[in-house]
Amino acid sequence: MISGRKNSSWPFTIILLIGLIVLPNFAARADGDKGGGVLDGKVFLGTIGQSSDAQYQDKLQFNNGMFWSEICTRCGFQPGKYWTRTSEGETHFRGEMTGGYGTFVYSGKIINGKAVVDVFWEKKRWYWTSSRKLSFDGSLKSA
């Protein structure tokens, strides 16, 4: 004979309902912060290089959710996806370009038409890894 123990599924049901209400809202916020678009069509003219070395003229371009550096594409790097987040008048972005010579990771912000970007290059080899920290400083190109 089965004892009078109650099998209540109320706690599980409540947790499940809360999860169904809360989780889609988190996903919507995350999707709004990535995938480009905000900077599409913009071109920044400026310089790139290590702080101790000569600076080189470069052009950072954004279009169709992709970004690229004119210097990097000449060296075989492919345009890469970029993600943005806008907060308090600043647009922060991050993107990666890859090619036969490694990976460039761009992480920067756009404030009042000025781009200030940290650039990290890395090439992994079986016997060592080479890397460089660079920076790009530029201004929005006038139409």
Side-chain angles (χ1 to χ4, degrees), residues 28-50:
R29 284 189 196 122
D31 288 342
D33 287 349
K34 64 182 182 178
V38 175
L39 297 174
D40 281 357
K42 297 199 181 335
V43 176
F44 294 87
L45 302 175
T47 57
I48 189 169
Q50 291 180 294

mmCIF file of all heavy atoms in Angstrom, residues 28-50:
data_model
loop_
_atom_site.group_PDB
_atom_site.id
_atom_site.type_symbol
_atom_site.label_atom_id
_atom_site.label_comp_id
_atom_site.label_asym_id
_atom_site.label_seq_id
_atom_site.Cartn_x
_atom_site.Cartn_y
_atom_site.Cartn_z
ATOM 1 N N ALA A 28 17.347 38.688 -25.457
ATOM 2 C CA ALA A 28 17.047 39.866 -26.265
ATOM 3 C C ALA A 28 18.058 40.972 -26.002
ATOM 4 O O ALA A 28 18.492 41.656 -26.917
ATOM 5 C CB ALA A 28 15.631 40.356 -25.968
ATOM 6 N N ARG A 29 18.448 41.154 -24.757
ATOM 7 C CA ARG A 29 19.447 42.184 -24.434
ATOM 8 C C ARG A 29 20.788 41.842 -25.069
ATOM 9 O O ARG A 29 21.446 42.702 -25.608
ATOM 10 C CB ARG A 29 19.609 42.307 -22.926
ATOM 11 C CG ARG A 29 18.475 43.044 -22.294
ATOM 12 C CD ARG A 29 18.775 43.340 -20.832
ATOM 13 N NE ARG A 29 17.539 43.689 -20.179
ATOM 14 C CZ ARG A 29 17.034 43.068 -19.145
ATOM 15 N NH1 ARG A 29 17.669 42.062 -18.604
ATOM 16 N NH2 ARG A 29 15.897 43.446 -18.623
ATOM 17 N N ALA A 30 21.206 40.585 -25.004
ATOM 18 C CA ALA A 30 22.492 40.194 -25.568
ATOM 19 C C ALA A 30 22.491 40.378 -27.080
ATOM 20 O O ALA A 30 23.452 40.878 -27.650
ATOM 21 C CB ALA A 30 22.810 38.743 -25.214
ATOM 22 N N ASP A 31 21.402 39.991 -27.763
ATOM 23 C CA ASP A 31 21.340 40.134 -29.207
ATOM 24 C C ASP A 31 21.388 41.595 -29.620
ATOM 25 O O ASP A 31 21.908 41.930 -30.677
ATOM 26 C CB ASP A 31 20.065 39.493 -29.764
ATOM 27 C CG ASP A 31 20.130 37.978 -29.704
ATOM 28 O OD1 ASP A 31 21.222 37.427 -29.572
ATOM 29 O OD2 ASP A 31 19.060 37.361 -29.785
ATOM 30 N N GLY A 32 20.873 42.496 -28.807
ATOM 31 C CA GLY A 32 20.910 43.912 -29.122
ATOM 32 C C GLY A 32 22.297 44.497 -29.012
ATOM 33 O O GLY A 32 22.577 45.563 -29.544
ATOM 34 N N ASP A 33 23.218 43.804 -28.358
ATOM 35 C CA ASP A 33 24.569 44.321 -28.139
ATOM 36 C C ASP A 33 25.596 43.740 -29.095
ATOM 37 O O ASP A 33 26.767 44.015 -28.965
ATOM 38 C CB ASP A 33 25.020 44.013 -26.710
ATOM 39 C CG ASP A 33 24.324 44.886 -25.691
ATOM 40 O OD1 ASP A 33 23.663 45.858 -26.099
ATOM 41 O OD2 ASP A 33 24.438 44.590 -24.496
ATOM 42 N N LYS A 34 25.178 42.896 -30.028
ATOM 43 C CA LYS A 34 26.184 42.310 -30.906
ATOM 44 C C LYS A 34 25.689 42.248 -32.339
ATOM 45 O O LYS A 34 24.537 42.496 -32.613
ATOM 46 C CB LYS A 34 26.575 40.917 -30.421
ATOM 47 C CG LYS A 34 25.455 39.907 -30.460
ATOM 48 C CD LYS A 34 25.933 38.582 -29.927
ATOM 49 C CE LYS A 34 24.824 37.553 -30.011
ATOM 50 N NZ LYS A 34 25.251 36.276 -29.547
ATOM 51 N N GLY A 35 26.593 41.923 -33.241
ATOM 52 C CA GLY A 35 26.213 41.722 -34.620
ATOM 53 C C GLY A 35 26.433 42.916 -35.516
ATOM 54 O O GLY A 35 26.025 42.913 -36.654
ATOM 55 N N GLY A 36 27.095 43.934 -35.060
ATOM 56 C CA GLY A 36 27.402 45.068 -35.917
ATOM 57 C C GLY A 36 26.201 45.926 -36.204
ATOM 58 O O GLY A 36 25.287 46.042 -35.401
ATOM 59 N N GLY A 37 26.220 46.511 -37.384
ATOM 60 C CA GLY A 37 25.115 47.349 -37.794
ATOM 61 C C GLY A 37 25.256 48.797 -37.382
ATOM 62 O O GLY A 37 25.099 49.685 -38.202
ATOM 63 N N VAL A 38 25.538 49.076 -36.138
ATOM 64 C CA VAL A 38 25.604 50.443 -35.625
ATOM 65 C C VAL A 38 26.689 51.245 -36.346
ATOM 66 O O VAL A 38 26.507 52.424 -36.640
ATOM 67 C CB VAL A 38 25.860 50.441 -34.098
ATOM 68 C CG1 VAL A 38 26.061 51.847 -33.578
ATOM 69 C CG2 VAL A 38 24.714 49.768 -33.377
ATOM 70 N N LEU A 39 27.800 50.621 -36.647
ATOM 71 C CA LEU A 39 28.914 51.320 -37.294
ATOM 72 C C LEU A 39 28.943 51.112 -38.806
ATOM 73 O O LEU A 39 29.812 51.675 -39.486
ATOM 74 C CB LEU A 39 30.243 50.875 -36.684
ATOM 75 C CG LEU A 39 30.434 51.199 -35.207
ATOM 76 C CD1 LEU A 39 31.721 50.582 -34.677
ATOM 77 C CD2 LEU A 39 30.425 52.699 -34.976
ATOM 78 N N ASP A 40 28.006 50.325 -39.342
ATOM 79 C CA ASP A 40 28.003 50.042 -40.779
ATOM 80 C C ASP A 40 27.987 51.328 -41.600
ATOM 81 O O ASP A 40 27.263 52.275 -41.291
ATOM 82 C CB ASP A 40 26.805 49.178 -41.156
ATOM 83 C CG ASP A 40 27.023 47.710 -40.829
ATOM 84 O OD1 ASP A 40 28.118 47.356 -40.368
ATOM 85 O OD2 ASP A 40 26.084 46.918 -41.040
ATOM 86 N N GLY A 41 28.827 51.353 -42.629
ATOM 87 C CA GLY A 41 28.928 52.505 -43.512
ATOM 88 C C GLY A 41 29.923 53.552 -43.047
ATOM 89 O O GLY A 41 30.197 54.516 -43.759
ATOM 90 N N LYS A 42 30.487 53.363 -41.881
ATOM 91 C CA LYS A 42 31.432 54.348 -41.346
ATOM 92 C C LYS A 42 32.871 53.960 -41.714
ATOM 93 O O LYS A 42 33.227 52.786 -41.777
ATOM 94 C CB LYS A 42 31.289 54.462 -39.839
ATOM 95 C CG LYS A 42 29.904 54.971 -39.425
ATOM 96 C CD LYS A 42 29.906 55.513 -38.054
ATOM 97 C CE LYS A 42 28.601 56.014 -37.539
ATOM 98 N NZ LYS A 42 27.590 56.467 -38.409
ATOM 99 N N VAL A 43 33.683 54.987 -41.952
ATOM 100 C CA VAL A 43 35.100 54.818 -42.279
ATOM 101 C C VAL A 43 35.883 55.768 -41.391
ATOM 102 O O VAL A 43 35.549 56.949 -41.284
ATOM 103 C CB VAL A 43 35.371 55.139 -43.769
ATOM 104 C CG1 VAL A 43 36.857 55.056 -44.076
ATOM 105 C CG2 VAL A 43 34.575 54.213 -44.674
ATOM 106 N N PHE A 44 36.928 55.249 -40.755
ATOM 107 C CA PHE A 44 37.785 56.056 -39.894
ATOM 108 C C PHE A 44 39.181 56.108 -40.493
ATOM 109 O O PHE A 44 39.764 55.072 -40.811
ATOM 110 C CB PHE A 44 37.828 55.472 -38.471
ATOM 111 C CG PHE A 44 36.505 55.551 -37.772
ATOM 112 C CD1 PHE A 44 35.563 54.547 -37.916
ATOM 113 C CD2 PHE A 44 36.191 56.656 -36.993
ATOM 114 C CE1 PHE A 44 34.334 54.629 -37.288
ATOM 115 C CE2 PHE A 44 34.964 56.747 -36.359
ATOM 116 C CZ PHE A 44 34.036 55.734 -36.509
ATOM 117 N N LEU A 45 39.702 57.301 -40.662
ATOM 118 C CA LEU A 45 41.055 57.503 -41.172
ATOM 119 C C LEU A 45 41.956 57.815 -39.997
ATOM 120 O O LEU A 45 41.604 58.634 -39.138
ATOM 121 C CB LEU A 45 41.082 58.666 -42.159
ATOM 122 C CG LEU A 45 40.160 58.543 -43.377
ATOM 123 C CD1 LEU A 45 40.212 59.816 -44.198
ATOM 124 C CD2 LEU A 45 40.530 57.330 -44.207
ATOM 125 N N GLY A 46 43.106 57.156 -39.945
ATOM 126 C CA GLY A 46 44.007 57.398 -38.820
ATOM 127 C C GLY A 46 45.325 56.690 -38.984
ATOM 128 O O GLY A 46 45.750 56.374 -40.096
ATOM 129 N N THR A 47 45.962 56.435 -37.847
ATOM 130 C CA THR A 47 47.268 55.778 -37.852
ATOM 131 C C THR A 47 47.219 54.541 -36.964
ATOM 132 O O THR A 47 46.475 54.478 -35.991
ATOM 133 C CB THR A 47 48.369 56.720 -37.341
ATOM 134 O OG1 THR A 47 48.030 57.176 -36.030
ATOM 135 C CG2 THR A 47 48.557 57.905 -38.275
ATOM 136 N N ILE A 48 48.066 53.576 -37.324
ATOM 137 C CA ILE A 48 48.186 52.346 -36.539
ATOM 138 C C ILE A 48 49.669 52.064 -36.339
ATOM 139 O O ILE A 48 50.490 52.382 -37.203
ATOM 140 C CB ILE A 48 47.488 51.152 -37.235
ATOM 141 C CG1 ILE A 48 47.435 49.936 -36.305
ATOM 142 C CG2 ILE A 48 48.141 50.821 -38.566
ATOM 143 C CD1 ILE A 48 46.545 48.812 -36.806
ATOM 144 N N GLY A 49 50.003 51.497 -35.211
ATOM 145 C CA GLY A 49 51.384 51.111 -34.951
ATOM 146 C C GLY A 49 51.618 50.899 -33.468
ATOM 147 O O GLY A 49 50.736 51.116 -32.641
ATOM 148 N N GLN A 50 52.833 50.446 -33.154
ATOM 149 C CA GLN A 50 53.240 50.327 -31.764
ATOM 150 C C GLN A 50 53.632 51.719 -31.287
ATOM 151 O O GLN A 50 54.113 52.544 -32.063
ATOM 152 C CB GLN A 50 54.413 49.368 -31.621
ATOM 153 C CG GLN A 50 54.048 47.931 -31.899
ATOM 154 C CD GLN A 50 55.238 47.019 -31.745
ATOM 155 O OE1 GLN A 50 56.188 47.109 -32.509
ATOM 156 N NE2 GLN A 50 55.181 46.154 -30.756
#
